[in-house]
Amino acid sequence: MASWISMDEACRLLGVRPQTVYAYVSRGKLEVMPDPADTRRSLYRAEDVAGLAKRKQAGRKHETLAANTLFGSEPSIPTALCAFFRGRPYYRGQDAVNLARSATLEDVARLLWSAEQAVDFSSPTTPARPVEPGRAAAFTALADLAATGHSTRGRLTRVLHAEGQGLVGQLANAFGAKPGPQPLHLRFAKGWKQSAQVADLLRTAMVLLVDHELTSSAFVARIAASTGASLPACLLAGLTTLSGPLHGDASGRVQALFSEVERLGEDKVVAHYLSTGLPLAGFGHHLYPDGDPRAAALLALFEPPEVIARFIEKVTNLTGLQPNIDVALAALVAHHRLPADAAFGLFATARSVGLLAHSLEQLGEAQVIRPRGRYVGPMPD
């Protein structure tokens, strides 16, 4: 029988604060269960704690620990939004892959925001500028709102929920969703002239993309929220970070790779990348050594173009790396010939729900997030 210990005992054995224990749990390194004697408290598997303590015995200098903490080794911001258990992402304790089978983006927003009322993204905050749909329109609209937005401080949660709904709705419109009183996946399908079957694929993809624990963009959104910035400013801060090719726009790198495959054939492309040691965008994920379950769930619902399907299979066989969600998203866009910016549009719109959830959750903390620098430059005379 497994033995279980309290938070205080786990902190004592590991020499860490409770926030770090929460981080170990969210990373799947530490199993947790409710305390049968007091359901308000949790117990932690003693065997897991002992294993972590043993790995920490080598010790690290304080400044090395601080640097590693900032760059992703041990994030210490507690969150109840998203965590990884047994190689799968969970939203507030619910399996995200299972949710994606039937839930809408609106359903998941209500879950993550803890909203009392149903969420409706059909009414944008303000009319968007009449520009060509795409990321330029999206960032322009958010920048306008951020420039005139009101601080989140001193405002009721239900008011912030209403504002958040408008922001997500406007973002979707900027990426080409057709305005109207329907769920977002149907509005995107109409705006992109797609069938109801494709609309359901869009729904699945967006639910899978809503959140992914403390990503770079979520951290940035939380920093903005901790200063009392407006919701559009928090969202803009998060989305500008998401737009990087090593984060939310990774599907753009995959799309470029797919273009090579369609032009040259899968054999030449794979041979070139493997012979030169170049990384193949979209394959492998450090959080999912056995394969990204989000990608598997989405790819199971449609057949990618034949040459891309052969490419995915060949890369997997030769490298052992499974396709991640960026490959699945790019394959979806290629198969249904969606607009060029559709992959990022779906990702940004879906993740805006998660970024707003992180921003709202951060409002419960009184302190501003302010990491300290470790100076390594020349000393003054």
Side-chain angles (χ1 to χ4, degrees), residues 71-305:
F71 287 99
S73 176
E74 296 175 11
S76 59
I77 293 180
T79 177
L81 299 176
C82 181
F84 307 108
F85 297 101
R86 300 174 183 85
R88 294 166 75 90
Y90 284 72
Y91 302 154
R92 289 200 186 277
Q94 297 191 39
D95 189 321
V97 175
N98 287 343
L99 279 174
R101 293 173 182 168
S102 59
T104 64
L105 187 64
E106 289 80 358
D107 295 331
V108 179
R110 185 176 185 181
L111 172 68
L112 288 185
W113 296 358
S114 296
E116 295 180 358
Q117 304 296 326
V119 170
D120 179 7
F121 295 138
S122 63
S123 300
T125 302
T126 58
R129 291 183 184 180
V131 294
E132 189 70 20
R135 72 181 70 194
F139 282 109
T140 298
L142 272 181
D144 286 346
L145 294 169
T148 58
H150 300 295
S151 170
T152 53
R153 299 295 172 178
R155 302 170 68 195
L156 295 178
T157 301
R158 62 176 175 80
V159 175
L160 295 175
H161 284 170
E163 184 176 8
Q165 290 178 84
L167 290 171
V168 178
Q170 177 140 327
L171 195 65
N173 290 354
F175 280 111
K178 185 176 180 62
Q182 290 181 306
L184 260 186
H185 63 283
L186 294 176
R187 297 211 289 116
F188 267 123
K190 284 190 174 182
W192 293 341
K193 297 179 172 54
Q194 298 293 325
S195 67
Q197 182 180 7
V198 176
D200 198 55
L201 290 174
L202 303 181
R203 178 197 59 75
T204 302
M206 286 194 291
V207 170
L208 292 169
L209 291 165
V210 166
D211 197 37
H212 213 228
E213 203 232 34
L214 194 64
T215 59
S216 302
S217 54
F219 185 43
V220 170
R222 280 181 174 269
I223 292 174
S226 76
T227 70
S230 68
L231 275 189
C234 295
L235 184 54
L236 181 61
L239 287 180
T240 52
T241 306
L242 186 82
S243 69
L246 301 182
H247 191 6
D249 201 23
S251 55
R253 295 166 61 211
V254 178
Q255 286 176 288
L257 186 61
F258 284 176
S259 294
E260 289 185 59
V261 172
E262 290 172 339
R263 188 174 68 255
L264 302 174
E266 71 276 12
D267 291 333
K268 285 187 178 180
V269 173
V270 172
H272 170 68
Y273 275 80
L274 294 186
S275 64
T276 56
L278 293 172
L280 286 151
F283 289 86
H285 196 296
H286 70 284
L287 290 176
Y288 305 115
D290 297 324
D292 188 339
R294 303 169 300 169
L298 187 56
L299 287 170
L301 300 178
F302 69 96
E303 290 290 338

Side-chain angles (χ1 to χ4, degrees), residues 333-348:
V333 169
H335 180 60
H336 293 289
R337 301 188 180 280
L338 301 179
D341 224 10
F344 182 71
L346 288 171
F347 204 146

